[in-house]
Amino acid sequence: MKRIIAVLCIASLAVLGASAAFAAYPEKPIRVVNYVGPGGLMDVTSRKFVSIAKKFTDATFVVENREGAGGLVGMQAVLEQPADGYTVFAATTSNIAKVLTSKKDVDEFIWGFEWIAMLMKDPECLIAAKDSPLNTWEAVFKEAQEKKGAQLWTGPAAGGNDHLMAMKVWEKSGMSAKWIPYNTGPEAMMALLSGQGAVYVGNPADIGGREGFTIVAIARKERSPKFPDAPTFTELGIQGLEDEAMWRGFAMRKGSPEEAMAWWEDLLKKVAADPEWREFLEKDGIDVVDYGRPEFTAQIKKDIEDSTHYLKQYGLIK
Amino acid sequence: MEILSNLAEGLGALMAPVPLLVILAGVCVGILGGAMPGISPSMAVALLLPFTFGMSPAMGLVMLCAIYLAANYGGSVTAVMINTPGTPSAVVTAFDGYPLTRNGKAGTALGISLIASVVGGFVGIAILVLFSAPLARFALKFWPAEYFALAILGLSTIASLGGGRWLESFIAVLLGLLLNTIGLDPLSGVSRYTFDVLRLYDGFSFIPVLIGLFALSEVFSGIESGEIGHPPAAPDKERSPWPSLRDYMKLKFSMLRAGVLGTVIGIFPGAGGTIASFIAYDVEKRLSKNPAEFGQGAPAGVAAAEASNSASVGGALVPLLTLGIPGSSSAAVLIGALMIHNLQPGPELFTKHPEIVNTLFSSLLVANVFILALGLLGARLWIKAALIPKRLLYPLIFAFSFIGSYAVRSSVFDVGVCLVFGLVGWLLSRAKFPVSPVVLGMILGTMIEKNLRATLMMGGFSLFVQRPLSLTLLLLALASVAVPALRERRAARKGIL
C-alpha cells in the first residue's frame, strides 16, 4: 500500500518537478522516511516541511511511512539504503530513547546516522486538570510529599521522552511519583481529566483546543509567548530544566555526500525563516530552530547521556 | 431544534455537485478498501489522507469520514461471500453471514448486512449528534479498572461463541491470549519472546493473522476436501432471494440494540468496533428464542455484528469532537487531518468552526444514504462471487491474502505470518477447534494485561470491587459465563432423573 502511495506521489510530483534545475544534488527524488503512520505528528511535520521547501527548491520529495517497533523499523530501513543522500530519516527525540531502552547498538542505530537538520524544539511541560485541586506546581509537590511516592503521573510509553522528563523533574525537585503509561498521549490526557493521575507530561500544544487543562510548569528559559500564564521551572525554584524539549529533525546515513548534507542544512535555514512555517509551529508554542550538524549532534549526545543516566537510575536499563 | 437547523444548514452546504462527488468517492473507496482483506478502516482513511491536503478542511474531513463509515460496511461483503473478513470488526459478521451463503442464502446475508450497517450507522450518528456531551462525561468514568472489566466482559462472550464446545473454545482463547505476550511489554517496554527480530517488537500484526486464520485456512480446507473441481452451488435469484421488508422488520430491535451498544462501546479508545460486535452478537444470541441457530446462519447474528460495528463510527467521533481524543485508530488519523489544516480537534472546533462540525455531521448522514445505494447496486455484482469456480477463487484469495498481509507494513515477514496462521487455522478447524476465540484473545489480551497492571499500580485489586462500574461489568461477565453453565447442569440432571 505504501508503495502505491509512493508511486502515486512520484507520478504526481514528477509532473511538478519536470522543470528541475540542473544542480548536482538532488538529481532524483528524495525519500523522506517516517517512522509513524500517515497523520502522525512527525508525518504531518515532514509533509508540511516538504510543502514549504518547494518554495525554495525544485527537488522532488516522497514522504514514506515505515512504521514498527517504535521507530526502529524505519531507522533500519534507512540504514539499509545506500549512503547517497537520497533517503532521509524523519527523526524525533523518542527515537534516541527507543534505541537505548531496546538495547540496540548505539553506534549502529544512532551514530550510523549523520544528524543534519533539527527543525524545532517543542518544550516539555507538566499539564494538570484545570478543575483539580492540584492545578499548581506547589499543590502537586505538596501532595507528592504527603503521598510518599504514590502520586500518579500519566503519559505515553514508559522510557519515552515524556517519561524521561518526569524522571528529571522528580530528581531535580527531590520528589518521587509513579509513572502510569498509556497507549498514546491523548489517552493519558483523558486519564488525567478523569482523575486517574495528578500530572500529565507533554508539550504545550497538547492543551490547544482541549478544555479543562492548564500548564503547571514549562521547561523553557523564559515563559512561552504563546502560553504566558505558564511558569517556568526556574521561576518555581527548580534548576536544571531550562531547556528540555522534544525535537524533530532529519538524519541521513553516515558517509552520505558532503554536498547533500550541506544542501539540507541550507534548505533548513530557508524554511526556518519562512513565515508560513513559523506560523505552523509557533501557534502551538513550538520554538523554531535551524540547527545544522554541529548543534544537532551536540543535542543527540546530550540526549544519550541524559537517557542513559535516568533509565539506569529508574531501573529501565542496566 | 437548534440541532436540526444546524444539520439542515450543513445539509444545504452539501447539496452541490462537488461535495456530493467527494462523499461518493469516499464511500466507493471505503467500501472497496473495507472489502479488501488487509486494508482496515484506519488504513483506508490513512491511504487517502494525503489527497485531502489540497481540499478545504471541511471537504477533506467529509471525505475521510465517508471512507471510515463505508469501510466498516465494506468489510462485511467478503466476510459474507468468502468467509474472509475484510476488516477486523467483520469477523463476527462472518460467523453467520458465511453459513447463510453456503446454504445458498447469499442474498439474505448481503441484504441484512447492508441494512444493518445503514441502520447502525444512523443510530451512531444520531447518538453522536444528540448526546455527545453526556457520553463524553460517561467515558471519563472509565479508569483502567473499567477497561479491564469491559475486556473481561468481551472475553466472556466465548461462552457462547464456541457453540457448546467449551473446552475447545477455552483452549483457543488461551492461544490468542498467549500470542499476545509476544512483543514489547506494554508497560515497561521490555521485549518478550522477540528473539531480537525487529518485526516481532510490536507482536504479530493483527491483520495478517486474521487473513491467515480465516481466508487461507478456508482455502487449505477446501483443497483438502477436494472441493476444487466441483461446480459451486449456483445462488440464482430464485434460491437466493433478497430479504423482504418483513424480514428486516423482524430484526429491527436487534439492529437498534446492537446500534446503541456499538456506539457506546465505540466511545472508548482501544475498545472500538471489534469488541462491540462480539458483545452485540453475544447479547443477541442470549436474547434469541433459538440460540442454536447462531453460527449456523442466524440473520440476527449478521444484523447485530454489522449494526454495532457501523454504529461504533459515531461513537469513536464522540471523544474526538468533545475532548480532542480519538476513540479509534481511524479517528486518530482524522486528528492528523485536522492538524494539517491548522484545526485543533476538540471542543474548540464547535465554537470556532461550527460550520465544519455541522457539515461533518450532515455528511455522515449523506454518506450513509450513499452506502445504501451503492450497497444495493453492488450486491448484484458481489453475489456473483459465489459463482466463481473454486479453482479460480482459491488462487485469488491466496493472492489477495499475500498482498493484504504485505500491505499493512510493507513487510514480507507479515506474509510469512499470514501463511503460518493459515496453517494454524486449518489445523485448528480440522481438530474441530473454533477459530474466532483466538481472534478474541488477541484483540483483548493487551487490553486486559495493560489495564490490569495499571490498576494494580494505581491501588491494587481492591479497585476492581470498589469502583461500582467495574464491579457491575465484572459481575455481568461472571453471570454470562455462569448462567448458561448452571442451566446446562440443571438440564443434564433433569435428563438423568
Side-chain angles (χ1 to χ4, degrees):
Chain A
M1 175 197 102
K2 276 140 207 162
R3 288 280 158 87
I4 300 174
I5 303 184
V7 170
L8 284 177
C9 292
I10 294 175
S12 53
L13 289 172
V15 179
L16 297 170
S19 58
F22 293 100
Y25 179 93
E27 56 187 0
K28 59 178 189 183
I30 304 166
R31 291 163 59 201
V32 179
V33 177
N34 262 292
Y35 71 95
V36 295
L41 201 56
M42 191 60 214
D43 179 73
V44 171
T45 311
S46 350
R47 287 178 200 276
K48 193 78 184 181
F49 181 87
V50 160
S51 78
I52 290 173
K54 280 190 200 135
K55 293 182 190 172
F56 308 104
T57 169
D58 291 331
T60 304
F61 299 91
V62 182
V63 178
E64 272 181 40
N65 304 85
R66 301 288 296 242
E67 297 153 71
L72 296 174
V73 168
M75 294 177 109
Q76 198 173 45
V78 174
L79 290 171
E80 279 166 1
Q81 296 300 313
D84 57 4
Y86 287 100
T87 315
V88 174
F89 183 64
T92 73
T93 323
S94 65
N95 298 120
I96 307 297
K98 191 76 209 175
V99 171
L100 293 171
T101 50
S102 56
K103 302 180 190 72
K104 287 282 162 198
D105 184 5
V106 171
D107 283 331
E108 182 192 349
F109 275 85
I110 297 179
W111 299 122
F113 287 100
E114 199 74 69
W115 301 85
I116 48 173
M118 186 168 135
L119 316 177
M120 68 185 69
K121 282 183 180 178
D122 198 353
E124 286 288 305
C125 65
L126 308 186
I127 291 171
K130 209 181 256 167
D131 299 333
S132 148
L134 306 177
N135 56 7
T136 61
W137 167 253
E138 289 79 11
V140 170
F141 185 75
K142 191 162 163 265
E143 201 216 40
Q145 301 294 64
E146 286 163 10
K147 285 201 170 174
K148 296 191 178 65
Q151 192 181 60
L152 303 178
W153 286 31
T154 72
N161 192 42
D162 296 323
H163 187 193
L164 273 175
M165 175 65 189
M167 295 189 245
K168 286 180 193 175
V169 176
W170 299 339
E171 192 195 56
K172 310 258 183 213
S173 67
M175 62 169 277
S176 58
K178 266 198 247 180
W179 183 256
I180 310 271
Y182 293 80
N183 288 328
T184 60
E187 270 178 47
M189 294 186 78
M190 191 163 159
L192 185 68
L193 217 49
S194 74
Q196 293 170 35
V199 179
Y200 164 80
V201 184
N203 307 95
D206 291 333
I207 70 163
R210 296 190 175 117
E211 277 165 12
F213 294 100
T214 180
I215 300 178
V216 298
I218 187 165
R220 235 169 150 268
K221 258 197 201 72
E222 287 130 29
R223 289 193 177 204
S224 161
K226 203 73 200 166
F227 300 90
D229 297 333
T232 65
F233 281 99
T234 324
E235 286 175 50
L236 297 166
I238 302 158
Q239 304 305 321
L241 295 170
E242 292 84 28
D243 186 20
E244 302 298 329
M246 188 187 93
W247 49 258
R248 295 172 228 167
F250 294 116
M252 223 177 242
R253 252 193 79 179
K254 196 162 219 87
S256 295
E258 171 61 31
E259 193 191 358
M261 294 193 272
W263 185 88
W264 272 86
E265 287 174 328
D266 177 56
L267 179 67
L268 174 60
K269 295 263 185 275
K270 289 175 187 157
V271 171
D274 183 86
E276 193 189 339
W277 175 249
R278 300 196 80 92
E279 159 66 19
F280 173 70
L281 296 174
E282 281 167 358
K283 71 168 191 331
D284 286 339
I286 299 173
D287 299 309
V288 177
V289 298
D290 58 0
Y291 290 180
R293 274 168 284 172
E295 296 138 299
F296 199 0
T297 309
Q299 175 74 42
I300 303 283
K301 279 190 182 141
K302 175 182 176 274
D303 283 0
I304 297 178
E305 235 167 70
D306 275 8
S307 303
T308 317
H309 170 77
Y310 287 101
L311 292 173
K312 267 188 190 158
Q313 186 178 336
Y314 287 90
L316 280 116
I317 55 173
K318 277 176 198 139
Chain B
M1 272 309 102
E2 195 197 334
I3 294 169
L4 281 182
S5 67
N6 284 345
L7 271 184
E9 204 174 289
L11 271 178
L14 288 173
M15 289 306 141
V18 173
L20 288 178
L21 272 177
V22 165
I23 298 177
L24 183 66
V27 169
C28 285
V29 171
I31 294 181
L32 287 177
M36 288 271 290
I39 299 192
S40 61
S42 61
M43 285 173 68
V45 176
L47 193 62
L48 271 283
L49 178 68
F51 288 92
T52 62
F53 294 163
M55 299 180 181
S56 74
M59 280 307 108
L61 269 185
V62 161
M63 176 148 135
L64 294 178
C65 286
I67 296 173
Y68 181 17
L69 196 61
N72 269 300
Y73 158 67
S76 73
V77 176
T78 38
V80 165
M81 294 312 299
I82 53 174
N83 201 27
T84 303
T87 57
S89 57
V91 170
V92 185
T93 316
F95 291 171
D96 286 282
Y98 187 59
L100 277 171
T101 302
R102 291 201 80 149
N103 300 338
K105 289 183 189 158
T108 310
L110 283 174
I112 289 171
S113 76
L114 174 63
I115 299 300
S117 275
V118 172
V119 172
F122 275 122
V123 171
I125 298 160
I127 295 178
L128 166 70
V129 174
L130 295 173
F131 305 112
S132 53
L135 274 177
R137 278 199 296 277
F138 174 64
L140 288 179
K141 292 215 173 5
F142 265 56
W143 282 31
E146 278 78 18
Y147 278 102
F148 170 79
L150 179 66
I152 293 291
L153 182 63
L155 206 57
S156 74
T157 61
I158 53 150
S160 63
L161 279 183
R165 304 185 70 89
W166 287 74
L167 186 63
E168 285 85 349
S169 307
F170 188 66
I171 293 173
V173 85
L174 276 185
L175 178 67
L177 289 172
L178 286 176
L179 285 171
N180 234 319
T181 56
I182 297 172
L184 296 184
D185 175 320
L187 269 90
S188 69
V190 172
S191 81
R192 302 187 295 204
Y193 311 113
T194 56
F195 305 102
D196 219 25
V197 177
L198 219 47
R199 282 297 182 184
L200 280 178
Y201 273 46
D202 303 319
F204 286 116
S205 239
F206 188 58
I207 288 175
V209 173
L210 196 68
I211 299 174
L213 282 179
F214 283 87
L216 279 191
S217 70
E218 182 77 15
V219 172
F220 291 146
S221 305
I223 294 172
E224 189 192 25
S225 67
E227 261 181 38
I228 308 167
H230 298 279
D236 55 279
K237 260 246 142 93
E238 309 273 294
R239 286 183 48 206
S240 176
W242 207 249
S244 67
L245 194 63
R246 249 187 54 209
D247 294 330
Y248 293 132
M249 287 312 281
K250 263 193 253 166
L251 296 169
K252 61 179 183 288
F253 291 117
S254 300
M255 291 183 195
L256 288 177
R257 268 193 302 262
V260 173
L261 260 177
T263 319
V264 173
I265 298 175
I267 298 171
F268 301 107
T274 317
I275 299 178
S277 57
F278 271 98
I279 293 182
Y281 181 86
D282 191 50
V283 167
E284 288 312 310
K285 183 171 177 180
R286 285 171 202 281
L287 291 174
S288 166
K289 287 196 191 87
N290 0 300
E293 205 191 353
F294 278 72
Q296 312 297 323
V302 178
E306 271 311 296
S308 57
N309 73 38
S310 290
S312 72
V313 174
L317 293 178
V318 168
L320 175 77
L321 293 173
T322 51
L323 304 168
I325 286 148
S328 70
S329 42
S330 308
V333 182
L334 291 178
I335 286 202
L338 285 164
M339 277 165 49
I340 205 108
H341 286 293
N342 284 351
L343 292 171
Q344 278 289 352
E348 235 178 62
L349 206 59
F350 283 91
T351 47
K352 279 194 183 160
H353 302 277
E355 75 289 351
I356 291 185
V357 179
N358 291 336
T359 315
L360 182 67
F361 284 162
S362 328
S363 77
L364 285 169
L365 296 174
V366 178
N368 225 349
V369 174
F370 279 180
I371 291 174
L372 181 62
L374 282 176
L376 287 173
L377 276 175
R380 294 159 198 268
L381 195 69
W382 295 321
I383 211 158
K384 295 220 166 76
L387 288 171
I388 301 174
K390 291 280 180 345
R391 60 177 179 276
L392 280 181
L393 187 63
Y394 284 167
L396 274 177
I397 294 181
F398 233 91
F400 275 116
S401 301
F402 282 8
I403 296 170
S405 305
Y406 178 79
V408 181
R409 302 189 296 187
S410 315
S411 144
V412 180
F413 181 83
D414 285 347
V415 178
V417 169
C418 172
L419 199 57
V420 168
F421 276 91
L423 291 172
V424 170
W426 171 61
L427 289 173
L428 283 176
S429 48
R430 274 193 96 198
K432 302 270 183 289
F433 278 84
V435 179
S436 42
V438 181
V439 176
L440 193 63
M442 285 192 74
I443 295 171
L444 296 176
T446 313
M447 191 171 158
I448 290 174
E449 186 195 345
K450 242 189 119 132
N451 290 302
L452 172 63
R453 286 171 58 190
T455 307
L456 295 184
M457 285 167 82
M458 288 175 143
F461 281 108
S462 55
L463 271 183
F464 290 116
V465 282
Q466 278 166 6
R467 299 184 52 83
L469 253 173
S470 130
L471 184 65
T472 315
L473 287 169
L474 285 174
L475 287 177
L476 268 176
L478 184 69
S480 77
V481 175
V483 170
L486 287 176
R487 204 178 286 159
E488 211 167 273
R489 242 176 94 180
R490 204 184 308 154
R493 203 175 294 159
K494 265 186 197 158
I496 295 163
L497 291 172

